[in-house]
Amino acid sequence: MDRISLLTNGDQSFSFRIGESLSIGREEDNDLQVPDPKVSRYHCVLEREGNRMFIRDLGSSNGTFVNGERVSQKALSGGDTIQIGESTLTYERTLDINTRQFDEGTDGSRPHGMTVIGKNDFRMEHLTDLYRADFTRRDFRRMLERLSTLFEIGNIINVYRNSESLLEAILQRIIRVIQADRYFLLIRDEKDGTLHIATRYPEQVGDTEISSTVLKTVLEEGKSVLSTDTLHDNRFLEAKSIITQSIKSVMSVPLRSHEKILGVIHVDSRDPTSLFSRDDLKLLTAIGINSGVAIENLRLYEDLKRLFRSTVKSLVAALEANDPYTGGHSERVAEYALRLSECLELSKDITERIELAAYLHDIGKIGIPKEVLNKPGRFNDQEASIMRRHPAIGHDILSNVSGMETIAKIVRHHHEKFDGTGYPDGMKGEDIPFESRLLCVIDVFDALTTDRPYRKRLSHEEAIKIITSLTGSHFDPGITEGFKRCMAHGPMES
């Protein structure tokens, strides 16, 4: 990290670290306050552009001098002497050992402005330099924001439960801390290894071509790449977007989970005065690591969820296999429930709860005697009383499974009626869980439209008439209206 040293009477007084910029002046809100009456209140500023540090005079009364020459703006070199008022500063340029900077070589293999961070070069500890006391207040605020973003991404898996929303959230956090014109998150297909753009900003970014050479470096070598001079970078000579959109600076880093490369984060900028820095590259590399772990964890979660759902479906199918009339009932109810949830534009979390509860809503029938369960005719009062136990039995089974407490409640109350005359608890109105009220409509609809031992199936129109007639007594009027509206757009064929 570059430094500036303030000299007093020819002796070094103290050394100050320079981040992306450093303001110097007499006022105390400067990054470096110089209590010299010949120094203006806001005298000059040091600003990093790519890998170079520039000094710019802010219209000071007595001027800014570099090596004895008055300047308005000048690129600094290591060892330069800066004179402001009676105060002398020296600029020290230090090599960042955590990145490898390559100048233009005779073989053209590494053009100037190209920085690469190898997969074994980066450590998260490289970002903790902000705790050094000589960081400027501006640097401190900026790095706190950056570390906060890394922390958020590290914990993002606890908030988002689907890939699309997770990737969009990651992109928004990158936008917050990296200033660029185009942002891309590219995900690698797990089967064939091809890259596709999962999300981008802006959504309509025109030409989406990205240098295949850079992407290959990131994907195959696991390296983070920064170019601050793309027009002289032979890797971009064939990239039309670089030329047509006048892109000046590019960063690409791997989305990494341990040794696995899941994709690429790519950003680029057209602004020649706002080139990416090596600090930006280290930050984006860290974001790539945290994001990669979050993406991989979500994939594992989704794999487990698919396995769980598949197991539930197989279990329910096995339980219903011996009943020629109710076989397939739970799967049909789940399909109807999904379509109704989509029609009502319910949230993903509610939809998933409804789907799972639909598959399991009759699981309590495992505790009903077979002679009752498989009776070919209508139940007598005693048999009906026994059959009414199945929601409570299902609740007892599911409530003992960790994480299934909410599903257990939905299952328990799917035979409650809106007027309070249902079972097992006689709940009324909106005291009945919403998901249970929805399942109640779907459950009855499927029962009416399938053959039973004591009657033939009804048509959809006949079933809707019966459900409409029971609205307000058996069924929630709002859900019934939503169901009828959904049916009006087309029959819910299973």
Side-chain angles (χ1 to χ4, degrees):
M1 179 68 69
D2 298 356
R3 308 174 76 89
I4 194 89
S5 297
L6 178 63
L7 305 180
T8 304
N9 297 325
D11 297 323
Q12 181 171 313
S13 176
F14 62 87
S15 180
F16 213 73
R17 177 177 298 212
I18 309 171
E20 292 301 303
S21 65
L22 180 81
S23 60
I24 304 173
R26 201 172 66 248
E27 286 292 323
E28 64 177 11
D29 59 345
N30 285 285
D31 296 319
L32 174 55
Q33 183 185 15
V34 180
D36 181 339
K38 293 186 178 181
V39 171
S40 296
R41 293 170 59 237
Y42 301 98
H43 198 104
C44 62
V45 63
L46 277 71
E47 294 177 315
R48 187 183 303 280
E49 295 183 10
N51 296 311
R52 302 296 304 274
M53 186 66 68
F54 288 79
I55 187 167
R56 180 164 56 89
D57 186 80
L58 299 176
S60 63
S61 300
N62 295 317
T64 299
F65 297 81
V66 177
N67 300 328
E69 176 188 357
R70 185 165 184 165
V71 299
S72 58
Q73 180 170 310
K74 182 178 176 62
L76 296 175
S77 300
D80 281 350
T81 300
I82 302 166
Q83 188 76 33
I84 55 172
E86 298 293 335
S87 302
T88 303
L89 305 99
T90 58
Y91 169 67
E92 303 169 15
R93 187 178 185 186
T94 57
L95 179 65
D96 187 346
I97 61 172
N98 297 321
T99 63
R100 296 195 298 277
Q101 178 69 38
F102 298 94
D103 294 325
E104 188 171 18
T106 55
D107 61 355
S109 61
R110 295 287 186 181
H112 77 282
M114 173 66 73
T115 301
V116 175
I117 297 181
K119 65 180 181 179
N120 297 319
D121 296 331
F122 180 80
R123 298 290 183 274
M124 286 291 183
E125 303 89 84
H126 296 164
L127 298 171
T128 60
D129 287 343
L130 74 96
Y131 296 111
R132 294 287 295 270
D134 53 0
F135 241 63
T136 68
R137 282 168 293 188
R138 185 182 302 171
D139 290 334
F140 190 83
R141 288 193 301 269
R142 186 176 185 188
M143 289 303 291
L144 276 180
E145 183 181 51
R146 290 179 164 202
L147 281 184
S148 174
T149 298
L150 285 174
F151 178 79
E152 286 180 20
I153 291 175
N155 288 276
I156 212 168
I157 186 64
N158 299 318
V159 179
Y160 297 96
R161 284 290 182 259
N162 68 83
S163 298
E164 184 176 339
S165 59
L166 173 65
L167 293 173
E168 183 61 33
I170 291 170
L171 185 70
Q172 291 304 316
R173 282 156 177 79
I174 294 170
I175 293 171
R176 191 170 71 190
V177 294
I178 300 290
Q179 185 175 355
D181 291 307
R182 303 194 308 168
Y183 303 80
F184 298 92
L185 256 64
L186 301 100
I187 297 299
R188 195 178 205 171
D189 188 278
E190 292 185 87
K191 294 181 179 178
D192 60 20
T194 57
L195 276 178
H196 68 275
I197 298 173
T199 185
R200 67 181 79 169
Y201 181 84
E203 289 187 9
Q204 300 298 327
V205 295
D207 191 349
T208 58
E209 185 176 350
I210 302 170
S211 168
S212 59
T213 306
V214 170
L215 291 181
K216 184 176 181 180
T217 299
V218 176
L219 283 175
E220 295 186 1
E221 301 179 33
K223 293 178 178 178
S224 299
V225 175
L226 161 66
S227 178
T228 57
D229 189 5
T230 55
L231 295 181
H232 295 91
D233 188 334
N234 57 20
R235 298 163 193 263
F236 298 97
L237 293 178
E238 301 300 323
K240 295 179 182 178
S241 62
I242 297 295
I243 300 172
T244 60
Q245 300 190 48
S246 302
I247 292 170
K248 300 297 189 296
S249 187
V250 164
M251 283 195 298
S252 286
V253 306
L255 283 165
R256 182 198 305 280
S257 178
H258 305 293
E259 293 300 311
K260 189 175 181 181
I261 306 299
L262 307 177
V264 176
I265 302 172
H266 178 91
V267 299
D268 52 47
S269 174
R270 295 187 292 268
D271 187 354
T273 66
S274 183
L275 303 177
F276 301 128
S277 68
R278 287 172 291 174
D279 283 343
D280 291 328
L281 184 63
K282 288 191 286 185
L283 173 65
L284 199 61
T285 298
I287 289 175
I289 294 171
N290 277 12
S291 300
V293 171
I295 293 168
E296 182 70 2
N297 285 344
L298 181 59
R299 284 181 176 178
L300 293 173
Y301 168 80
E302 290 178 335
D303 286 345
L304 286 172
K305 188 165 64 173
R306 282 191 289 269
L307 177 61
F308 175 71
R309 290 179 182 281
S310 177
T311 303
V312 166
K313 290 170 67 175
S314 298
L315 171 64
V316 170
L319 290 173
E320 294 180 346
N322 294 325
D323 189 335
Y325 292 98
T326 62
H329 167 69
S330 295
E331 185 167 2
R332 290 193 301 272
V333 170
E335 290 177 2
Y336 291 149
L338 277 176
R339 296 175 197 178
L340 180 54
S341 297
E342 181 180 348
C343 190
L344 297 177
E345 298 182 346
L346 302 180
S347 71
K348 186 174 180 66
D349 286 343
I350 293 176
T351 299
E352 288 183 349
R353 287 200 298 270
I354 290 172
E355 181 191 16
L356 186 54
Y359 276 113
L360 295 169
H361 75 284
D362 279 343
I363 195 72
K365 288 182 178 179
I366 196 172
I368 303 300
K370 286 186 178 181
E371 57 271 20
V372 175
L373 193 63
N374 296 328
K375 183 178 178 179
R378 291 184 178 274
F379 298 134
N380 59 37
D381 290 345
Q382 182 181 10
E383 291 164 341
S385 177
I386 292 172
M387 181 60 78
R388 290 192 185 102
R389 297 175 190 167
H390 82 270
I393 295 172
H395 174 267
D396 291 343
I397 293 171
L398 296 174
S399 61
N400 287 313
V401 179
S402 177
M404 295 289 285
E405 295 82 3
T406 300
I407 304 300
K409 290 180 181 178
I410 298 170
V411 167
R412 182 179 182 89
H413 300 300
H414 78 277
H415 276 297
E416 304 285 2
K417 296 179 181 178
F418 202 68
D419 63 2
T421 60
Y423 59 88
D425 300 317
M427 295 183 76
K428 184 177 181 180
E430 293 188 0
D431 289 339
I432 305 168
F434 170 80
E435 297 91 337
S436 301
R437 285 180 270 144
L438 187 146
L439 281 183
C440 183
V441 175
I442 296 296
D443 190 30
V444 171
F445 175 77
D446 184 70
L448 292 173
T449 55
T450 53
D451 289 330
R452 292 298 164 103
Y454 47 87
R455 61 156 175 80
K456 290 293 183 179
R457 74 180 69 185
L458 301 180
S459 68
H460 284 191
E461 292 75 15
E462 291 170 320
I464 290 173
K465 286 181 181 179
I466 292 175
I467 288 173
T468 301
S469 70
L470 297 174
T471 296
S473 57
H474 283 50
F475 307 119
D476 180 333
I479 292 176
T480 301
E481 286 305 310
F483 175 72
K484 290 164 63 178
R485 188 168 62 250
C486 185
M487 290 292 292
H489 288 87
M492 296 174 68
E493 298 292 350
S494 174

